[in-house]
Amino acid sequence: MLNIKKSEQKYGIYALSVLILLPTVFAPAISGAILIILLSFLVNYKTSLVIGIVAFIYFISQYYYDLHYTLLTKSIVLFCSGILFLGLYFLTQKKLSSDEKI
């Protein structure tokens, strides 16, 4: 797979994970739903995947309709986390597709 053995690479991945999950500090349930989705991918359990996706949508909507923050603040936080997730996706997609041969 990615073949990560060095401790510097592991610490870099941990730091990147914290950076990506940092916008969800206002709503920690969102990161819990992401964890459920990722674990269900790992064990290939479709029922848990559906539950994770439903929970993710529910927690995002709960966060979005929370009245403690302004709509602009919430939109900026969601936009930044979306940009970080897209960057992570393109980074891993490029790394994984370059190693595979058909």
Side-chain angles (χ1 to χ4, degrees):
M1 202 76 157
L2 291 176
N3 213 8
I4 299 169
K5 303 240 187 257
K6 295 181 182 177
S7 62
E8 295 105 16
Q9 291 175 335
K10 289 180 184 179
Y11 291 136
I13 290 173
Y14 294 148
L16 185 65
S17 300
V18 168
L19 178 71
I20 287 175
L21 292 176
L22 192 63
T24 65
V25 76
F26 300 120
I30 295 172
S31 58
I34 292 171
L35 179 66
I36 291 172
I37 292 171
L38 291 175
L39 286 175
S40 61
F41 271 127
L42 180 67
V43 297
N44 199 15
Y45 190 54
K46 293 183 173 133
T47 306
S48 177
L49 178 67
V50 171
I51 290 170
I53 291 172
V54 169
F56 183 72
I57 292 170
Y58 174 74
F59 292 138
I60 288 286
S61 64
Q62 285 291 79
Y63 170 72
Y64 201 70
Y65 289 112
D66 187 14
L67 298 177
H68 287 97
Y69 306 105
T70 64
L71 189 61
L72 180 63
T73 303
K74 292 185 278 190
S75 297
I76 290 171
V77 167
L78 290 175
F79 177 76
C80 291
S81 64
I83 292 294
L84 287 172
F85 277 120
L86 284 174
L88 179 69
Y89 170 75
F90 288 128
L91 180 72
T92 57
Q93 218 33 35
K94 183 179 178 182
K95 177 72 173 169
L96 290 176
S97 64
S98 66
D99 292 338
E100 296 176 357
K101 291 183 181 178
I102 298 176

